[in-house]
């Protein structure tokens, strides 16, 4: 899988992200790239960009932000163990993601409420938002 052929030299970024299993479909990978969730050297990318071995990408998906370095190119989506051979995550990125996961588990990032507002509270919220006195 890590062997390069003529086809693998011309791989698109959206196809590589799909093959490396960052996104479930190529359409999702393309949408993420177009919406600015994938950066190369601090700049937004286009779906047709051709990644090279050694390129560093910042990829945001959900709550996680990863910084990965391309180790190999592939246009074929395979199993997760083989897909992980296509890239390596930087140690800083891994530590940052683990810390963010711990904070989410602790509930420090989430909004906590006492539950559903009562009918009176809903009326007060509606009154507040509409500007009526």
């Amino acid at each position: 899988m890590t062997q390069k052929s003529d086809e693998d030299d011309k791989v698109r970024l959206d196809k590589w992200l799909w093959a490396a299993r960052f996104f479930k479909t190529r359409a999702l990978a393309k949408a993420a790239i177009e919406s600015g969730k994938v950066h190369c050297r601090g700049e937004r990318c286009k779906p047709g960009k051709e990644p090279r071995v050694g390129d560093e990408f910042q990829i945001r998906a959900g709550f996680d932000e990863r910084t990965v370095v391309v180790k190999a190119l592939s246009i074929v989506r395979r199993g997760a163990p083989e897909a992980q051979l296509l890239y390596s995550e930087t140690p800083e990125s891994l530590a940052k993601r683990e810390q963010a996961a711990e904070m989410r588990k602790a509930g420090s990032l989430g909004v906590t409420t006492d539950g559903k507002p009562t009918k009176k509270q809903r009326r007060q919220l509606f009154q507040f938002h509409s500007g009526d006195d």
Side-chain angles (χ1 to χ4, degrees):
M1 177 163 119
T2 56
Q3 298 171 347
K4 291 170 65 172
S5 67
D6 292 338
E7 293 175 353
D8 289 344
D9 289 341
K10 298 287 185 181
V11 64
R12 290 172 51 101
L13 179 59
D14 58 346
K15 199 173 232 186
W16 183 83
L17 289 171
W18 168 75
R21 294 186 164 261
F22 287 107
F23 299 98
K24 286 187 176 185
T25 64
R26 260 186 80 188
L28 288 174
K30 182 180 177 186
I33 294 168
E34 289 174 344
S35 64
K37 292 185 167 96
V38 179
H39 293 258
C40 180
R41 295 185 212 104
E43 295 180 4
R44 289 176 67 160
C45 301
K46 291 186 177 181
K49 178 177 175 44
E50 295 178 2
R52 304 273 183 240
V53 175
D55 281 354
E56 188 173 293
F57 290 99
Q58 289 82 29
I59 305 164
R60 262 189 305 133
F63 290 111
D64 294 333
E65 183 170 341
R66 299 173 184 233
T67 303
V68 297
V69 177
V70 178
K71 288 172 45 178
L73 301 175
S74 175
I75 58 172
V76 180
R77 185 173 171 105
R78 306 243 171 139
E82 292 180 38
Q84 289 176 345
L85 299 175
L86 297 177
Y87 65 91
S88 64
E89 189 170 359
T90 61
E92 299 85 20
S93 171
L94 194 57
K96 191 176 176 182
R97 274 194 323 116
E98 288 174 354
Q99 183 182 15
E102 288 175 11
M103 290 177 71
R104 279 196 307 272
K105 284 181 185 177
S108 61
L109 294 179
V111 176
T112 58
T113 62
D114 294 333
K116 185 177 171 182
T118 64
K119 189 172 183 177
K120 181 179 179 182
Q121 290 170 334
R122 284 196 307 270
R123 275 193 233 115
Q124 289 172 340
L125 281 171
F126 179 74
Q127 207 172 29
F128 176 74
H129 287 296
S130 65
D132 294 339
D133 288 323

